[in-house]
């Protein structure tokens, strides 16, 4: 391998495994609510609005402010003895002179979750974070919320508590609402990453560029996976192993362990969702051994091959110290008198790498030369900037690189990441026209096409109107229509898939109601979890939640022997009496022979009467609204064995 450089050259041999660091943010540049911890949901609800109390110069001035989110009871938050709980909040006091306050859980043990905070005229606002470990006594209490307690706050001073977040674990977390309040907009929209050899992640958002937008937490396909639920937290742990194919079963730690050359660094990520289920992913990095000495007298990695070569550039005022940030695969514009740095990274087949630098100084502007002869008019240029070009001419192309709308000098509203050209009087969008167009990614406000063909791709349409979010998606052999209304906490979905059929669902979180219906190769179905009603049409027949198998009833009122049974099938109640012995009966009088179970769906809403087999012209059979089964003879009848027979069917209800 040969390296050619100008002015200076630095070669570094990297022999250790790399570590990938992740960060999350709410803006494309990573600066809005940047965090290296994926947010955990708040165990408290009602924290969106700051809470205030006016001092009255009394001791232990108290008042409840926020409630736990799961039935207002900490025992339902999935906590165990030994878990760490952390509370963070912002506070401020107007017109303070002196006083103290603290927050504590409102439970039978009055467990304090913070140290006492002193307030003076010079100390009137701040951010506090306190943690404690759950013990058995704490879980035995009944925690319903958080109280603020103040000691002698001056009269007319106002204590305000805001951005309260109460989470499991000890990591610092950005503020988030509870699981019952969270919306898609509350979750980070962008993820960034970079790789180095440090165990400590950088807090510089630029380090994680480019920031990539990723899917929100409300699920998208309604079939398999974690659809319709949000991400509750993310836990990352590390372990060393001699295997690069089988994940370790022990030794996982939250911090990167000491790296061992020739072995593998495993990274495990556990995503826990708001329904308390979880998924686990792994990545593995080889920790390279030291390379052999070169035998050819040329710098390189003998015995291995070059896997990739990456070249990037950056401008700098220094020609001796290589820059640490700003590297780009495109050659930047470097002012005269400054330096253009070139960095080449060679990655080898044994997962090690080498880095080389070269630097060149840009020449200063020389003296003005003699005037040249007039030339022809140049071709229209193209400018990429976050401000409007100063010199405008017809045909000038400008790509606006800003992040917010900009009003140009002609009144045109310029949109971010959009290209315009100047027609001589106004800026207009520079539309692309092509007979054949191929791209990996297209972002557009409107696509109007004829005979549109999408290969190995997906179609997603999202519409948000107030509290209602509607999404339509086509992917592979799957079609999904999804509607979520946060004002009613309800979700409707329709999903169609070639091998699993058509499914429709309705979910209401406030009522805990879930209704589903669909059709597949097993038939048709519908069910509701609250009413317990269901209906199925299968190749074996129809099944309803009202069905009751044949059930034998005990004979009463002097009737005996034979069998008395009933059943409900497909909404019809059937009654069968066979070979029953009857007592002595007076003509025209009804005699009860059996009683249906209390609450049975077979009990009619009005008396149902039909004939009996003993003698259809003389005998009658009755099912009453009280659930009794009766026989009647028009003539006086003496006790007779094996006489009464009947078969009747009535629609239920």
């Amino acid at each position: 391998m040969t390296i050619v450089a100008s002015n200076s050259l630095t070669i570094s041999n990297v022999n250790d495994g790399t570590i990938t660091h992740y960060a999350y943010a709410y803006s494309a540049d990573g600066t809005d609510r940047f965090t290296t911890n994926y947010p955990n949901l708040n165990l408290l609800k009602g924290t969106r609005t700051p809470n205030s109390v006016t001092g009255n110069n009394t001791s232990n001035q108290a008042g409840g402010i926020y409630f736990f989110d799961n039935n207002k009871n900490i025992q339902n938050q999935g906590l165990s003895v030994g878990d760490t709980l952390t509370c963070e909040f912002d506070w401020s006091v107007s017109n303070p002179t002196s006083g103290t306050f603290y927050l504590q859980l409102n439970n039978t043990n009055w467990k304090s979750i913070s140290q006492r905070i002193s307030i003076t005229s010079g100390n009137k606002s701040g951010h506090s974070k306190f943690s404690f470990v759950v013990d058995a006594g704490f879980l035995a209490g009944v925690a319903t919320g958080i109280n603020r307690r103040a000691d002698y706050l001056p009269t007319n001073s106002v204590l305000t508590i805001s951005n309260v977040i109460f989470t499991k674990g000890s990591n610092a977390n950005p503020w988030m609402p509870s699981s019952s309040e969270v919306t898609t907009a509350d979750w980070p929209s962008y993820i960034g990453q970079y790789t180095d050899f440090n165990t400590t992640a950088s807090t510089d958002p630029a380090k994680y560029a480019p920031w990539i937008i990723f899917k929100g937490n409300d699920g998208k396909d309604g079939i398999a996976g974690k659809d319709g639920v949000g991400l509750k937290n993310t836990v990352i742990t590390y372990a060393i192993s001699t295997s690069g194919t089988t994940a370790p079963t022990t030794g996982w730690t939250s911090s990167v362990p000491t790296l061992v050359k020739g072995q593998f660094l495993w990274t495990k990520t556990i995503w826990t969702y708001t329904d308390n289920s979880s998924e686990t992913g792994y990545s593995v990095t080889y920790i390279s051994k030291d390379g052999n000495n070169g035998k050819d007298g040329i710098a390189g990695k003998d015995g291995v091959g070059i896997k990739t070569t990456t070249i990037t550039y950056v401008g700098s005022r220094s020609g001796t110290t290589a820059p640490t940030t700003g590297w780009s695969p495109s050659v930047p514009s470097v002012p005269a008198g400054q330096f253009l740095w070139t960095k080449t990274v060679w990655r080898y087949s044994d997962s090690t790498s080498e880095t080389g630098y070269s630097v060149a100084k840009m020449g200063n502007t020389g003296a003005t030369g003699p005037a040249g002869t007039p030339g022809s008019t140049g071709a229209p240029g193209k400018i990429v900037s976050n401000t409007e070009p100063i010199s405008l001419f017809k045909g000038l192309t400008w790509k606006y690189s800003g992040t917010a709308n900009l009003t140009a000098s002609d009144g045109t509203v310029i949109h971010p990441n959009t290209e315009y050209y100047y027609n001589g009087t106004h800026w207009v969008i520079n539309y692309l026209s092509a007979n054949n167009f191929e791209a990996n990614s297209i972002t557009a406000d409107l696509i109007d096409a004829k005979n549109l063909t999408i290969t190995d791709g997906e179609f997603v349409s999202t519409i948000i109107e107030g509290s209602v979010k509607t999404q339509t998606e086509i992917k592979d052999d799957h079609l999904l229509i999804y509607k979520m209304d946060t004002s009613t906490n309800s979700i409707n979905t329709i999903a169609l898939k070639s091998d699993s059929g058509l499914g429709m669902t309705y979910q209401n979180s406030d009522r805990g109601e879930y209704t589903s219906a669909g059709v597949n190769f097993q038939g048709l179905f519908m069910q509701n979890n609250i009413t317990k009603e269901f209906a199925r049409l299968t190749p074996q027949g129809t099944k309803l939640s009202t069905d009751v198998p044949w059930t034998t009833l005990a004979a009463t009122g002097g009737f005996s022997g034979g069998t008395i049974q009933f059943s409900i099938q497909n909404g019809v109640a059937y009654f069968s009496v066979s070979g029953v012995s009857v007592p002595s009966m007076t003509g025209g009088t009804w005699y009860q022979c059996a009683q249906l179970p209390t609450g049975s769906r077979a009990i009619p809403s009005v008396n149902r009467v039909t004939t009996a087999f003993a003698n259809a012209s003389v005998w009658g059979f009755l099912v009453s609204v009280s659930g009794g089964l009766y026989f009647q003879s028009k003539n006086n009848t003496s006790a007779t064995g094996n006489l009464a027979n009947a078969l009747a069917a009535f629609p239920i209800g």
Side-chain angles (χ1 to χ4, degrees), residues 230-535:
L231 189 61
K232 190 174 183 180
N233 60 57
T234 302
V235 178
I236 301 176
T237 53
Y238 308 88
I240 294 292
S241 174
T242 57
S243 172
T245 57
T246 302
T249 57
T250 60
W252 293 96
T253 63
S254 58
S255 59
V256 178
T258 302
L259 304 179
V260 180
K261 296 178 180 179
Q263 296 188 18
F264 297 85
L265 174 65
W266 283 80
T267 302
K268 176 169 66 174
T269 304
I270 300 177
W271 299 274
T272 301
Y273 301 94
T274 53
D275 63 355
N276 291 323
S277 62
S278 63
E279 293 179 334
T280 303
Y282 296 90
S283 64
V284 61
T285 302
Y286 178 66
I287 308 166
S288 306
K289 297 179 179 179
D290 292 335
N292 297 323
N293 293 329
K295 296 180 180 180
D296 55 7
I298 302 174
K301 295 294 295 181
D302 300 319
V304 298
I306 295 179
K307 192 174 182 180
T308 61
T309 301
T310 304
I311 302 175
T312 52
Y313 309 87
V314 69
S316 175
R317 295 181 181 275
S318 172
T320 58
T321 302
T324 58
T325 60
W327 294 94
S328 168
S330 302
V331 178
S333 176
V334 180
Q338 296 188 19
F339 298 85
L340 174 65
W341 285 80
T342 303
K343 177 170 67 174
T344 305
V345 179
W346 300 272
R347 298 194 181 275
Y348 300 98
S349 57
D350 64 352
S351 297
T352 62
S353 66
E354 292 179 335
T355 303
Y357 297 88
S358 65
V359 61
K361 184 177 182 180
M362 309 305 290
N364 290 315
T365 304
T368 303
T373 57
S376 61
T377 302
K382 178 177 179 179
I383 295 176
V384 179
S385 68
N386 58 5
T387 58
E388 183 182 7
I390 298 176
S391 299
L392 304 181
F393 56 88
K394 187 175 183 179
L396 173 64
T397 303
W398 170 36
K399 182 175 182 179
Y400 175 49
S401 59
T403 59
N405 287 348
L406 172 71
T407 302
S409 57
D410 66 337
T412 301
V413 177
I414 307 298
H415 300 286
N417 199 33
T418 306
E419 191 170 281
Y420 297 80
Y421 78 91
Y422 194 69
N423 65 5
T425 57
H426 294 288
W427 289 105
V428 294
I429 294 179
N430 189 20
Y431 289 101
L432 177 64
S433 176
N435 293 325
N436 295 287
F437 186 81
E438 180 177 348
N440 292 327
S441 176
I442 299 176
T443 300
D445 293 333
L446 173 66
I447 297 179
D448 187 0
K450 181 184 292 185
N451 299 326
L452 178 64
T453 300
I454 301 175
T455 304
D456 294 333
E458 62 181 273
F459 170 83
V460 178
S461 174
T462 302
I463 300 174
I464 299 178
E465 296 180 350
S467 62
V468 179
K469 174 182 177 181
T470 304
Q471 182 168 300
T472 302
E473 176 179 314
I474 303 175
K475 182 179 181 181
D476 300 328
D477 64 339
H478 169 69
L479 169 65
L480 169 72
I481 301 175
Y482 171 93
K483 178 181 178 182
M484 178 174 66
D485 189 342
T486 57
S487 66
T488 59
N489 284 335
S490 62
I491 298 175
N492 293 272
T493 63
I494 299 177
L496 178 64
K497 205 169 188 296
S498 62
D499 57 358
S500 56
L502 172 67
M504 295 177 288
T505 64
Y506 169 78
Q507 181 178 352
N508 188 292
S509 299
D510 289 342
R511 298 194 299 269
E513 180 180 1
Y514 185 85
T515 300
S516 62
V519 56
N520 53 38
F521 293 119
Q522 285 71 47
L524 304 171
F525 71 91
M526 185 285 292
Q527 60 187 13
N528 181 282
N529 70 318
I530 293 180
T531 64
K532 307 301 181 182
E533 295 177 334
F534 69 84

Side-chain angles (χ1 to χ4, degrees), residues 518-525 535-543 570:
V519 56
N520 53 38
F521 293 119
Q522 285 71 47
L524 304 171
F525 71 91
R536 300 187 185 95
L537 178 61
T538 71
Q540 291 74 38
T542 302
K543 302 294 182 182
N570 295 331

